[in-house]
């Protein structure tokens, strides 16, 4: 009998008034989710909060306790609205210190960019005892403390930080997904989807309808850590749809 | 002395494994946030949860209690992974019924599209006592119950539902925002931003750095329900930046 597989989970707290005001379209949820999949870690929940210490503290403390990892994005720049480090330090009951290595990195980065200032030195502040996550794009590093990973708000900077973390976090088997597309209204095949999912243990099937070129279609995505079962499941679904006279597009539409 | 202005808030629960798996880029947060601004309602917090009843119930019950309005997006289609209605009914301690008007709408919509089925009738299920929100795009309506607005996951369907709700929700004065751009590293003007924000009561200034064409710049966004103060604040910031020899771009870069 197979041992029950341990599922590793992460949560994300997106920090920033600019997301809640609609000014900025978040891209870090999708980016982090995709990266976590490859590490064998499931993104279990996300909260988006404004630039307010109490909201950040509460979200961080709730989510870090019930997930293996907690990521945050946003609020680590040099300006007055960047309060993530202070809020997380408060959440952990730690002080805030200037990290000597971060200071050195910033000194070097700003040497040819107008020199160090107090505001720039702010970006070297970390919760006491924290490690740094290298940022090759813009100098100011990310921060790792306990099970928390503090990342930038700008997506391509966070991408670089995630790149540095690749392969360093313990996870389980990556979730594998496969997709088929079909020009069918999902409501016509709802029973078939339910039955197919039930017949393939450990697989979840998502149904994603769309309207394109005046036609109704849907993509069906099977997900499981077991690649073989994803294949079997999609093969069964394809056969059933084709037996019903539907045209199936492997890989999705 | 001016009476303390009442601030109206809303929360959003985004429901769907496809968002947490990274398969689908959410667009409803930004869309709802922008729409709420115009209604004079502030989007105060967002949670993204998977297709799991316990997670939905908990998020809905926490957020509906502490906000004037709660919106949800996703999980109201005809398939097995669409459990939003059941979860919200459970959260409210209400039963689930087929809404007669929703059934009629769906009968009419599917008359020329293969006819009604059990799966399609699922989309007429609502928490007992709920009202409908018209959906001109694809038939299946949104749902309004207590202070909860249950919307579609597909952004353009939700757009249509929001359009129906425009002007029907009580709110305060809309938050007005104004933007200026400047080719400057935000870290060079952090003190100026902080001082300018402090000097203009009720205004928040956000700083949004970017790297473009090899140059560093930032947009500064002032927000307040008081349009005049937004103008005064940005004029002061512009004057200070220009006095410092910076080029300011009205409207942002």
């Amino acid at each position: 009998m197979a041992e029950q597989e341990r599922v590793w989970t992460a949560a994300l707290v997106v920090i920033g008034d600019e997301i809640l005001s609609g000014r900025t379209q978040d891209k870090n949820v999708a980016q982090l989710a995709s990266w976590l999949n490859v590490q064998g870690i499931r993104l279990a929940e996300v909260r988006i909060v404004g630039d307010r210490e109490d909201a950040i503290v509460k979200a961080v403390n709730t989510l870090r306790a019930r997930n293996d990892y907690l990521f945050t994005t946003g609020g680590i720049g040099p300006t007055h609205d960047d309060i993530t480090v202070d809020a997380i330090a408060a959440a952990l009951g730690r002080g805030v210190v200037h990290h000597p290595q971060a200071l050195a990195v910033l000194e070097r980065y700003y040497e040819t960019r107008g020199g160090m200032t107090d505001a720039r030195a702010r970006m070297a502040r970390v919760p006491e005892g924290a490690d740094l996550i290298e940022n090759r794009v813009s100098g100011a590093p990310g921060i790792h403390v306990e099970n928390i990973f503090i990342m930038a708000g700008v997506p391509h900077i966070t991408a670089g930080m995630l790149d540095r973390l690749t392969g360093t976090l313990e996870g389980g088997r990556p979730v594998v997904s496969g997709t088929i597309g079909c020009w069918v209204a999902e409501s016509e095949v709802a029973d078939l989807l339910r039955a197919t999912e039930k017949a393939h243990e450990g697989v979840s099937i998502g149904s994603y309808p769309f309207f394109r070129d005046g036609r109704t279609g849907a993509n069906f995505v099977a997900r499981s850590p077991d690649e073989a079962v994803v294949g079997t499941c999609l093969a069964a679904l394809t056969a059933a749809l084709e037996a019903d006279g539907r045209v199936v597009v492997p890989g999705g539409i």
Side-chain angles (χ1 to χ4, degrees), chain A:
Chain A
M1 214 169 65
E3 209 181 323
Q4 178 72 31
E5 202 166 316
R6 161 123 158 64
V7 176
W8 296 78
T9 68
L12 168 63
V13 181
V14 175
I15 299 165
D17 289 346
E18 70 277 20
I19 308 291
L20 291 176
S21 74
R23 181 189 178 276
T24 301
Q25 164 70 57
D26 169 77
K27 299 201 173 134
N28 285 317
V29 174
Q31 163 169 266
L32 180 68
S34 304
W35 181 84
L36 285 169
N37 285 341
V38 179
Q39 317 305 311
I41 300 163
R42 192 161 56 78
L43 181 59
E45 48 187 329
V46 177
R47 294 194 185 175
I48 307 178
V49 300
D51 298 317
R52 280 181 26 234
E53 181 162 315
D54 58 339
I56 300 170
V57 167
K58 198 155 179 204
V60 163
N61 274 338
T62 304
L63 300 189
R64 76 186 172 103
R66 66 181 184 216
N67 291 279
D68 296 299
Y69 306 106
L70 173 67
F71 289 77
T72 71
T73 57
I76 62 167
T79 59
H80 62 286
D81 53 344
D82 292 307
I83 61 168
T84 297
V85 166
D86 297 85
I88 291 179
L92 300 177
R94 294 179 181 232
V96 174
V97 297
H98 282 85
H99 193 293
Q101 196 187 330
L103 274 176
V105 165
L106 290 166
E107 293 270 12
R108 207 160 49 238
Y109 182 80
Y110 284 114
E111 202 171 356
T112 57
R113 293 175 174 88
M116 200 66 164
T117 62
D118 282 355
R120 287 169 169 174
R122 255 179 79 79
M123 294 187 281
R125 296 167 76 248
V126 302
E128 215 160 353
D131 303 317
L132 304 181
I133 305 166
E134 191 189 354
N135 164 8
R136 294 185 209 181
V137 180
S138 60
I143 300 162
H144 168 218
V145 56
E146 299 191 19
N147 67 338
I148 305 175
F149 297 84
I150 304 172
M151 321 289 278
V154 179
H156 78 276
I157 299 181
T158 289
M161 293 176 177
L162 290 175
D163 197 44
R164 288 298 297 171
L165 292 176
T166 295
T168 66
L169 271 58
E170 190 169 2
R173 274 195 298 173
V175 169
V176 177
S177 69
T179 303
I180 61 173
C182 191
W183 292 104
V184 65
E186 59 170 0
S187 53
E188 293 180 21
V189 294
D191 292 341
L192 174 60
L193 294 175
R194 186 192 306 268
T196 307
E197 181 180 89
K198 213 171 163 191
H200 296 84
E201 204 179 315
V203 179
S204 71
I205 302 180
S207 169
Y208 307 111
F210 58 82
F211 309 89
R212 209 175 295 161
D213 308 329
R215 295 168 74 195
T216 296
N219 286 305
F220 306 120
V221 180
R223 290 187 197 93
S224 168
D226 188 336
E227 189 166 3
V229 178
V230 168
T232 318
C233 174
L234 287 180
L237 187 57
T238 299
L241 287 165
E242 287 178 347
D244 200 29
R246 316 282 182 184
V247 176
V248 174
V249 181
I253 296 168

